[in-house]
């Protein structure tokens, strides 16, 4: 699994470019149907890209929010990336059908 490191340009300055992940998954979400995906044991970072809106929760497949969630247990909308060290699974749900790509880095 590639380590999450920013690339360097010709002058040795960091860029916003990361390496291609050696472990990636794609989930085809059906609207309103939660899904879970296992996080590889050596993964420390997950980067997300999607064709539509999705909600994410670590450790459990979230329910699609239909109103206020004020107790701190709400899922997150469209995260770009998250630290996943110690997380065993990621749950996702989307309001409409979409595809989510997750690249994992060590």
């Amino acid at each position: 699994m590639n380590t999450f490191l920013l690339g360097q340009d010709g002058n040795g300055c960091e860029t916003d470019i990361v390496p291609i992940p050696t472990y990636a998954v794609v989930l085809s979400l059906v609207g309103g149907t939660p899904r879970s995906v296992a996080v590889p044991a050596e993964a420390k970072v997950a980067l997300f890209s999607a064709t539509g809106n999705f909600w994410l929760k670590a450790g459990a497949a979230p329910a699609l929010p239909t109103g206020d969630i004020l107790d701190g247990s709400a899922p997150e909308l469209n995260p770009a990336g998250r630290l996943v060290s110690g997380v065993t699974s990621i749950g996702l749900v989307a309001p409409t059908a979409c595809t989510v790509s997750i690249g994992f880095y060590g």
Side-chain angles (χ1 to χ4, degrees):
M1 179 169 297
N2 280 347
T3 302
F4 183 82
L5 294 173
L6 295 177
Q8 293 184 344
D9 64 16
N11 294 320
C13 297
E14 286 188 353
T15 68
D16 293 334
I17 300 170
V18 297
I20 294 172
T22 54
Y23 191 94
V25 298
V26 172
L27 284 94
S28 294
L29 299 178
V30 175
T33 304
R35 298 275 310 272
S36 289
V37 62
V39 174
E42 62 274 15
K44 295 179 183 172
V45 174
L47 298 182
F48 304 90
S49 185
T51 61
N53 290 328
F54 70 96
W55 296 89
L56 177 131
K57 187 150 181 84
L64 191 61
T66 58
D68 293 346
I69 301 173
L70 304 175
D71 64 359
S73 67
E76 258 189 299
L77 179 63
N78 299 330
R82 290 294 172 261
L83 297 175
V84 293
S85 257
V87 176
T88 58
S89 68
I90 296 171
L92 302 102
V93 67
T96 59
C98 73
T99 303
V100 180
S101 169
I102 308 170
F104 291 98
Y105 296 85

